[in-house]
Amino acid sequence: MRPHPLPTAEEAAGAAEFRVALEGFLHRTERVAREVGITPRWYLVLLLIKGAPDLSERSTVTDLARRLGLAQSTVTELVRRAERAGLVAREPSATDARVAHLRLTPEGERRLGQAFESLASERRALRDAIAGLDV
């Protein structure tokens, strides 16, 4: 078995800078979410619904579970709590009665918007850190 090559000091410094930026981003996201009255997980759910890959601004619990890498039961409960908080609403699918699409309510939009705006500089810093990596 060949030993793994060691990173150069420059590669390690870039990776370290990225990790510092990522940790800072995650901590700031948690703080900002709480400041606007939502949990960090709700922020992530709202962001994933609004930022659906097909740009429809909607999702299903199954899609959220896949994207988050969590059990469907965990996401179902997370969505239920967000619904009770007035952040998310379910809409029945027009094509499949077994499916409900999740959309942000006006309150969910407002809170996501507040948090998203507050995190603009952190997103830029994280993008800069990613750009500095030798991928």
Tab-separated table of all heavy atoms in Angstrom, residues 48-49 52-54 56 58-70 72 75 99-102:
chain	number	residue	atom	x	y	z
A	48	LEU	N	-33.888	25.463	1.177
A	48	LEU	CA	-33.990	24.373	0.202
A	48	LEU	C	-35.312	24.393	-0.556
A	48	LEU	O	-35.365	24.026	-1.736
A	48	LEU	CB	-33.790	23.018	0.889
A	48	LEU	CG	-32.376	22.733	1.387
A	48	LEU	CD1	-32.333	21.403	2.122
A	48	LEU	CD2	-31.373	22.764	0.262
A	49	ILE	N	-36.381	24.814	0.101
A	49	ILE	CA	-37.660	24.920	-0.598
A	49	ILE	C	-37.594	26.078	-1.594
A	49	ILE	O	-37.905	25.913	-2.773
A	49	ILE	CB	-38.830	25.108	0.396
A	49	ILE	CG1	-39.029	23.837	1.232
A	49	ILE	CG2	-40.120	25.471	-0.357
A	49	ILE	CD1	-39.996	24.000	2.397
A	52	ALA	N	-35.250	25.399	-4.718
A	52	ALA	CA	-35.428	24.075	-5.332
A	52	ALA	C	-34.637	23.996	-6.641
A	52	ALA	O	-34.562	24.980	-7.377
A	52	ALA	CB	-36.902	23.812	-5.595
A	53	PRO	N	-34.025	22.850	-6.923
A	53	PRO	CA	-33.209	22.713	-8.135
A	53	PRO	C	-33.939	23.084	-9.427
A	53	PRO	O	-33.324	23.610	-10.352
A	53	PRO	CB	-32.812	21.231	-8.148
A	53	PRO	CG	-32.923	20.793	-6.735
A	53	PRO	CD	-34.039	21.615	-6.128
A	54	ASP	N	-35.258	22.852	-9.473
A	54	ASP	CA	-36.012	23.180	-10.688
A	54	ASP	C	-36.536	24.618	-10.674
A	54	ASP	O	-37.278	25.019	-11.561
A	54	ASP	CB	-37.159	22.192	-10.896
A	54	ASP	CG	-38.201	22.248	-9.786
A	54	ASP	OD1	-38.078	23.063	-8.834
A	54	ASP	OD2	-39.176	21.469	-9.862
A	56	SER	N	-38.743	25.953	-8.892
A	56	SER	CA	-40.188	26.034	-8.682
A	56	SER	C	-40.554	26.662	-7.338
A	56	SER	O	-41.719	26.965	-7.105
A	56	SER	CB	-40.810	24.641	-8.759
A	56	SER	OG	-40.340	23.842	-7.677
A	58	ARG	N	-40.635	25.166	-4.571
A	58	ARG	CA	-41.408	24.200	-3.803
A	58	ARG	C	-40.621	22.895	-3.735
A	58	ARG	O	-39.705	22.671	-4.515
A	58	ARG	CB	-42.788	23.983	-4.392
A	58	ARG	CG	-42.776	23.330	-5.733
A	58	ARG	CD	-44.159	23.200	-6.297
A	58	ARG	NE	-44.100	22.304	-7.454
A	58	ARG	CZ	-45.135	21.872	-8.099
A	58	ARG	NH1	-46.353	22.228	-7.724
A	58	ARG	NH2	-45.000	21.066	-9.130
A	59	SER	N	-41.020	22.058	-2.792
A	59	SER	CA	-40.343	20.779	-2.609
A	59	SER	C	-41.322	19.801	-1.985
A	59	SER	O	-42.428	20.170	-1.612
A	59	SER	CB	-39.120	20.966	-1.703
A	59	SER	OG	-38.350	19.785	-1.657
A	60	THR	N	-40.887	18.572	-1.857
A	60	THR	CA	-41.640	17.573	-1.115
A	60	THR	C	-40.783	17.142	0.063
A	60	THR	O	-39.568	17.386	0.089
A	60	THR	CB	-41.952	16.335	-1.988
A	60	THR	OG1	-40.708	15.714	-2.345
A	60	THR	CG2	-42.753	16.707	-3.223
A	61	VAL	N	-41.401	16.498	1.025
A	61	VAL	CA	-40.643	15.975	2.162
A	61	VAL	C	-39.601	14.979	1.667
A	61	VAL	O	-38.457	14.982	2.124
A	61	VAL	CB	-41.590	15.334	3.201
A	61	VAL	CG1	-40.805	14.560	4.248
A	61	VAL	CG2	-42.441	16.409	3.870
A	62	THR	N	-39.968	14.150	0.697
A	62	THR	CA	-39.031	13.166	0.152
A	62	THR	C	-37.811	13.846	-0.460
A	62	THR	O	-36.667	13.441	-0.217
A	62	THR	CB	-39.734	12.280	-0.898
A	62	THR	OG1	-40.832	11.623	-0.265
A	62	THR	CG2	-38.791	11.249	-1.490
A	63	ASP	N	-38.037	14.900	-1.242
A	63	ASP	CA	-36.912	15.637	-1.841
A	63	ASP	C	-36.038	16.279	-0.773
A	63	ASP	O	-34.812	16.251	-0.865
A	63	ASP	CB	-37.420	16.714	-2.807
A	63	ASP	CG	-38.010	16.137	-4.076
A	63	ASP	OD1	-37.701	14.980	-4.424
A	63	ASP	OD2	-38.794	16.865	-4.729
A	64	LEU	N	-36.668	16.873	0.231
A	64	LEU	CA	-35.895	17.493	1.312
A	64	LEU	C	-35.058	16.452	2.045
A	64	LEU	O	-33.888	16.692	2.348
A	64	LEU	CB	-36.815	18.208	2.299
A	64	LEU	CG	-37.486	19.485	1.819
A	64	LEU	CD1	-38.444	20.007	2.886
A	64	LEU	CD2	-36.459	20.540	1.467
A	65	ALA	N	-35.654	15.301	2.329
A	65	ALA	CA	-34.927	14.242	3.033
A	65	ALA	C	-33.708	13.804	2.229
A	65	ALA	O	-32.606	13.640	2.774
A	65	ALA	CB	-35.848	13.061	3.305
A	66	ARG	N	-33.886	13.659	0.928
A	66	ARG	CA	-32.767	13.260	0.062
A	66	ARG	C	-31.676	14.324	0.062
A	66	ARG	O	-30.509	14.024	0.238
A	66	ARG	CB	-33.287	13.022	-1.354
A	66	ARG	CG	-32.215	12.563	-2.346
A	66	ARG	CD	-32.740	12.469	-3.770
A	66	ARG	NE	-33.501	13.624	-4.232
A	66	ARG	CZ	-32.956	14.783	-4.604
A	66	ARG	NH1	-31.655	14.955	-4.559
A	66	ARG	NH2	-33.730	15.782	-5.017
A	67	ARG	N	-32.067	15.577	-0.110
A	67	ARG	CA	-31.071	16.657	-0.189
A	67	ARG	C	-30.362	16.882	1.143
A	67	ARG	O	-29.191	17.253	1.167
A	67	ARG	CB	-31.736	17.954	-0.664
A	67	ARG	CG	-32.152	17.870	-2.134
A	67	ARG	CD	-32.813	19.123	-2.620
A	67	ARG	NE	-31.828	20.184	-2.842
A	67	ARG	CZ	-32.144	21.462	-2.969
A	67	ARG	NH1	-33.411	21.856	-2.881
A	67	ARG	NH2	-31.206	22.358	-3.181
A	68	LEU	N	-31.074	16.684	2.245
A	68	LEU	CA	-30.477	16.878	3.568
A	68	LEU	C	-29.728	15.649	4.058
A	68	LEU	O	-28.957	15.733	5.011
A	68	LEU	CB	-31.566	17.246	4.584
A	68	LEU	CG	-32.201	18.616	4.427
A	68	LEU	CD1	-33.453	18.726	5.288
A	68	LEU	CD2	-31.194	19.698	4.794
A	69	GLY	N	-29.987	14.513	3.440
A	69	GLY	CA	-29.365	13.272	3.895
A	69	GLY	C	-29.907	12.815	5.236
A	69	GLY	O	-29.197	12.224	6.039
A	70	LEU	N	-31.189	13.106	5.476
A	70	LEU	CA	-31.834	12.739	6.734
A	70	LEU	C	-32.967	11.756	6.462
A	70	LEU	O	-33.475	11.668	5.345
A	70	LEU	CB	-32.414	13.985	7.416
A	70	LEU	CG	-31.422	15.054	7.857
A	70	LEU	CD1	-32.175	16.293	8.347
A	70	LEU	CD2	-30.509	14.519	8.943
A	72	GLN	N	-36.655	10.329	6.309
A	72	GLN	CA	-37.902	11.000	5.961
A	72	GLN	C	-38.713	11.341	7.203
A	72	GLN	O	-39.328	12.402	7.276
A	72	GLN	CB	-38.713	10.143	4.994
A	72	GLN	CG	-39.909	10.893	4.453
A	72	GLN	CD	-40.326	10.443	3.077
A	72	GLN	OE1	-39.571	9.805	2.374
A	72	GLN	NE2	-41.532	10.779	2.692
A	75	VAL	N	-37.409	14.573	8.699
A	75	VAL	CA	-37.790	15.745	7.909
A	75	VAL	C	-39.291	16.007	8.041
A	75	VAL	O	-39.714	17.163	8.122
A	75	VAL	CB	-37.360	15.575	6.439
A	75	VAL	CG1	-37.849	16.738	5.586
A	75	VAL	CG2	-35.852	15.455	6.351
A	99	VAL	N	-48.999	13.025	-3.059
A	99	VAL	CA	-47.888	13.971	-2.916
A	99	VAL	C	-48.396	15.344	-2.492
A	99	VAL	O	-49.404	15.826	-3.006
A	99	VAL	CB	-47.120	14.099	-4.255
A	99	VAL	CG1	-46.034	15.154	-4.164
A	99	VAL	CG2	-46.528	12.751	-4.650
A	100	ALA	N	-47.677	15.938	-1.555
A	100	ALA	CA	-47.940	17.323	-1.165
A	100	ALA	C	-46.667	18.125	-1.418
A	100	ALA	O	-45.568	17.686	-1.079
A	100	ALA	CB	-48.338	17.405	0.297
A	101	HIS	N	-46.838	19.268	-2.029
A	101	HIS	CA	-45.711	20.163	-2.266
A	101	HIS	C	-45.644	21.175	-1.127
A	101	HIS	O	-46.678	21.655	-0.657
A	101	HIS	CB	-45.868	20.888	-3.599
A	101	HIS	CG	-45.796	19.960	-4.770
A	101	HIS	ND1	-44.612	19.450	-5.238
A	101	HIS	CD2	-46.762	19.440	-5.556
A	101	HIS	CE1	-44.852	18.655	-6.263
A	101	HIS	NE2	-46.155	18.622	-6.471
A	102	LEU	N	-44.445	21.482	-0.718
A	102	LEU	CA	-44.224	22.458	0.343
A	102	LEU	C	-43.836	23.787	-0.288
A	102	LEU	O	-42.996	23.824	-1.184
A	102	LEU	CB	-43.101	21.980	1.270
A	102	LEU	CG	-43.300	20.600	1.880
A	102	LEU	CD1	-42.013	20.126	2.539
A	102	LEU	CD2	-44.441	20.624	2.866
